[in-house]
Amino acid sequence: MQRRLKSLVTAREGRRGTRPRGRALVMAVAAVLSWSTISVAGAGADSPHSNSPNLGANVIIFTPTESQATIQATVDAISAQQVSNQFGTQRYALLFEPGVYGSVSDPLNFQVGYYTEVAGLGAQPGDTVINGSVNVYNQCTNGSCVALNNFWRSLSNLTINVANSSLGCHTGEFWAVSQAAPMRRVVVNGLTSLMDYCSGPSFASGGYIADSSFTGSTIVNGSQQQFFVRNSNLDGWSNGVWNQVFTGDVGAPAQCFPAQTSCGPYTTVATSPVTEEAPFLYTDSSGNLRVFVPSVQYNSSGPAWTGGTESGSSLSMEDFFIASPTTPERAINQALDEGQNLLLTPGVYDLNHPIVVNHSGTVVLGMGFATLVPQQGTAALIVRPNEGVKVSGLIVDAGPVNSPVLVQVGTQHRHGDSVGNPNLIQDLFFRIGGATPGSATVSLVDNSNNSILDDVWAWRADHGAGVGWTSNVADTGLVVNANNVTAYGLFVEHYQKNEVQWNGQGGSVFFFQNEMPYDPPSQAAWMSAPGVDGYPALSVAPNVTSFQGYGMGSYSFFNQGVNIYSANAFQVPTSLPVSSLHNLLTVALNSTANGGILNVVDNVGGPATVANADTPVTVTSFP
């Protein structure tokens, strides 16, 4: 991702399964050797410390009784492999059983690289405590150190007491990430920085936090161009750049958009209208591994777990079919047909047939960024019920044969659509090219009324393998045909036609981040209609009479050496009530690019072009 800023704030204050494919690491306390599996105390199913099923060699379970030297050596070895491994096939889940790890005098500090999930296994975030830090830093290339490509990693369900004074400038919890790097259900006591100000130019762009709590210091937003925070407790927020959105956050900064000298650019909504937190693994009092599925909440603020016993259901691992990348699709689908839930262990799953969910209430949970890749032009995942299905923690890559749709959720005109038990799509990330050449017409189709989309990044790759206007072909990232769909943290980038097409009534989007495609070869190759330049980032269908949008931004960076324009970033019908859209913006990135966006929404707002590069053009209310 190529982005530039003219100026930025760098404030410091203020029962199944075989072992997955792929090269991994074998750890010893004093040596690191490259083998085909990981073998450490506490790893996987055979750990004497946990009554766990076989989750494969790339799920590593730590216990507080293990030597900290062993734990440190293990996490450091994985980090060394994964920090620069942007398009590799290795995947890891690092799970910490309840207890305390590290101390003030001997803290546990480590970095989180690509395709690495770090999570506690307690019923509450306070059950697993790390004295130290779990960090994401800039990546440096040719002297330029940025966080713009820090994707596909996660941190959840634990408490961090920041203790890393020996790390020099990196004293604090550093989470310098961009898209597809969620932080959920985390408590941080001490300084938290969302940028790595210890090396320059330190650019960062887009992130997601939910169901978390921060005490002891103002969160440093710094260079984060846009960021989304939901249902969390905040102890201050340092600044904004272009688009910071808060929903249901205690201690969020006051509404201030567009940015003023002393505040902003903040879009602040007091409560989140309907939410459901992500399912998570935990160990019960007998040491058995289980999955907790939180209940739906309405008009909520703050984390779901702070009021005591959290509402939801606890599922035994006996209710799950545990798959690895070598498990045949027919075995997975048979288990789903028999009413089991699905746990996908870390790895890359090459699919000749789609995974199909036929039963309401099914949980599909990915570990360590399990990645689905259809090989025959099919969908990767089809969810047929319209209620109660929970899908969380997956990457879906387009395959070598074009897929009309990669993931379909719900069935149009089918009974269901439970308001009290909606379909839930969380931490679902799409890639068209990048890791592997591929194409897909539409990444995600949502046909399920009342469903919740929570942290979705659909990305037509702008770098990596198979990238080019006629190579990684993809029309649209998201099509919503259902009514009353709520989306939080929606990131859709670089698709070649309408990037989001919203056809359902009563929809809501809280935070939208978009970059238009970089690579249209000519204006003639990118026209939505005769005489209409380009395509909108988000288009609401003409028959829709109810839609709400909060904090929605679209950026352009046309880099083919010719002027390319989009007539509008947003396109909505005149039938929408007054002030349906709140706080929209466009930005032309980098004065060395060409063309830009001519209007924010429906010929209103004016141009964002190279003439005013890196400067937001805003519309605070529309129509």
Side-chain angles (χ1 to χ4, degrees):
M1 298 210 158
Q2 186 168 355
R3 301 178 173 92
R4 293 286 305 277
L5 296 176
K6 285 186 175 178
S7 62
L8 53 89
V9 177
T10 58
R12 182 171 179 179
E13 297 84 2
R15 148 169 46 106
R16 292 176 178 86
T18 57
R19 292 186 174 184
R21 299 176 294 189
R23 187 174 65 86
L25 298 176
V26 174
M27 275 303 307
V29 174
V32 180
L33 302 175
S34 294
W35 274 14
S36 61
T37 59
I38 290 177
S39 178
V40 296
D46 300 324
S47 166
H49 310 291
S50 177
N51 300 327
S52 302
N54 188 352
L55 300 177
N58 286 27
V59 176
I60 302 172
I61 300 177
F62 300 106
T63 73
T65 59
E66 291 179 69
S67 159
Q68 182 165 325
T70 300
I71 296 173
Q72 187 75 67
T74 302
V75 295
D76 285 349
I78 293 172
S79 175
Q81 175 180 277
Q82 296 301 105
V83 160
S84 61
N85 195 15
Q86 182 173 174
F87 293 124
T89 59
Q90 295 82 1
R91 306 284 188 272
Y92 296 97
L94 309 181
L95 308 181
F96 290 79
E97 288 195 352
V100 177
Y101 299 82
S103 63
V104 173
S105 60
D106 187 16
L108 177 63
N109 300 302
F110 62 96
Q111 293 186 59
V112 183
Y114 288 103
Y115 314 114
T116 304
E117 170 192 2
V118 177
L121 288 177
Q124 294 284 325
D127 293 343
T128 302
V129 176
I130 292 178
N131 292 310
S133 57
V134 182
N135 298 304
V136 181
Y137 297 150
N138 291 332
Q139 296 189 69
C140 299
T141 303
N142 298 323
S144 178
C145 301
V146 299
L148 295 176
N149 292 336
N150 284 349
F151 315 135
W152 309 309
R153 62 200 78 195
S154 67
L155 179 64
S156 63
N157 198 33
L158 48 75
T159 292
I160 297 172
N161 294 325
V162 177
N164 55 6
S165 59
S166 64
L167 297 183
C169 179
H170 287 113
T171 301
E173 170 62 22
F174 279 64
W175 194 250
V177 298
S178 289
Q179 295 83 359
M183 179 187 290
R184 293 182 179 272
R185 202 177 167 84
V186 170
V187 176
V188 180
N189 298 314
L191 173 68
T192 300
S193 182
L194 304 178
M195 70 173 292
D196 179 358
Y197 46 72
C198 296
S199 55
S202 305
F203 301 144
S205 179
Y208 177 97
I209 292 173
D211 202 31
S212 294
S213 182
F214 301 84
T215 63
S217 179
T218 293
I219 294 175
V220 176
N221 176 87
S223 63
Q224 283 286 355
Q225 294 168 193
Q226 56 276 314
F227 213 93
F228 179 69
V229 185
R230 178 181 64 72
N231 286 85
S232 295
N233 291 333
L234 306 178
D235 203 4
W237 189 268
S238 69
N239 69 288
V241 177
W242 289 338
N243 187 30
Q244 277 66 28
V245 179
F246 307 86
T247 69
D249 297 307
V250 178
Q255 170 74 33
C256 181
F257 188 96
Q260 301 174 23
T261 303
S262 60
C263 65
Y266 304 142
T267 299
T268 302
V269 182
T271 60
S272 300
V274 54
T275 58
E276 189 171 356
E277 302 304 338
F280 61 92
L281 289 162
Y282 77 103
T283 52
D284 65 16
S285 59
S286 299
N288 299 306
L289 199 63
R290 302 181 67 88
V291 172
F292 188 82
V293 183
S295 296
V296 65
Q297 297 187 102
Y298 300 98
N299 300 317
S300 60
S301 64
W305 44 268
T306 55
T309 303
E310 189 170 352
S311 177
S313 57
S314 177
L315 305 178
S316 167
M317 293 305 294
E318 293 296 316
D319 298 326
F320 282 82
F321 180 84
I322 300 173
S324 80
T326 59
T327 306
E329 298 101 282
R330 65 179 180 274
I332 294 173
N333 284 328
Q334 180 179 346
L336 289 168
D337 284 343
E338 292 172 354
Q340 286 194 282
N341 302 299
L342 177 61
L343 188 69
L344 295 159
T345 58
V348 178
Y349 294 69
D350 291 333
L351 303 175
N352 291 314
H353 303 89
I355 295 171
V356 181
V357 177
N358 284 314
H359 294 283
S360 297
T362 302
V363 176
V364 178
L365 187 59
M367 300 185 69
F369 293 85
T371 302
L372 310 181
V373 191
Q375 300 295 309
Q376 305 297 328
T378 67
L381 176 65
I382 297 174
V383 175
R384 289 181 174 154
N386 287 351
E387 60 181 338
V389 177
K390 319 300 177 187
V391 178
S392 183
L394 296 173
I395 296 174
V396 180
D397 282 345
V401 180
N402 184 77
S403 295
V405 176
L406 286 175
V407 173
Q408 178 178 308
V409 179
T411 304
Q412 285 187 292
H413 313 302
R414 178 173 176 168
H415 294 300
D417 305 329
S418 170
V419 174
N421 190 20
N423 282 347
L424 176 66
I425 307 299
Q426 283 177 319
D427 299 340
L428 182 63
F429 310 126
F430 297 89
R431 301 187 296 198
I432 314 295
T436 183
S439 62
T441 306
V442 179
S443 291
L444 173 61
V445 174
D446 188 354
N447 296 320
S448 175
N449 291 347
N450 305 302
S451 57
I452 300 172
L453 307 178
D454 189 30
D455 190 28
V456 172
W457 184 35
W459 182 58
R460 176 180 167 264
D462 58 271
H463 63 278
V467 171
W469 187 251
T470 60
S471 299
N472 59 330
V473 176
D475 287 355
T476 301
L478 170 65
V479 175
V480 175
N481 295 320
N483 297 331
N484 304 318
V485 172
T486 304
Y488 301 97
L490 180 58
F491 307 76
V492 182
E493 298 189 290
H494 309 312
Y495 287 78
Q496 295 170 296
K497 294 185 178 179
N498 293 359
E499 303 203 44
V500 174
Q501 180 59 50
W502 203 286
N503 301 323
Q505 301 285 351
S508 299
V509 174
F510 297 88
F511 182 89
F512 175 69
Q513 189 260 320
N514 165 262
E515 284 186 2
M516 292 185 171
Y518 292 171
D519 55 342
S522 66
Q523 190 69 68
W526 198 54
M527 302 283 288
S528 55
V532 181
D533 292 340
Y535 289 83
L538 186 150
S539 176
V540 180
N543 65 316
V544 172
T545 59
S546 176
F547 176 86
Q548 294 277 326
Y550 298 83
M552 304 200 301
S554 178
Y555 314 139
S556 70
F557 181 79
F558 301 117
N559 65 357
Q560 297 300 292
V562 295
N563 283 328
I564 305 293
Y565 295 97
S566 177
N568 289 283
F570 302 97
Q571 178 177 288
V572 300
T574 57
S575 55
L576 290 187
V578 173
S579 299
S580 292
L581 306 182
H582 313 263
N583 301 346
L584 312 181
L585 71 149
T586 58
V587 181
L589 301 173
N590 198 321
S591 59
T592 66
N594 302 91
I597 302 170
L598 296 178
N599 284 285
V600 178
V601 54
D602 292 350
N603 300 320
V604 172
T609 68
V610 294
N612 58 342
D614 299 324
T615 302
V617 178
T618 62
V619 171
T620 58
S621 180
F622 190 85

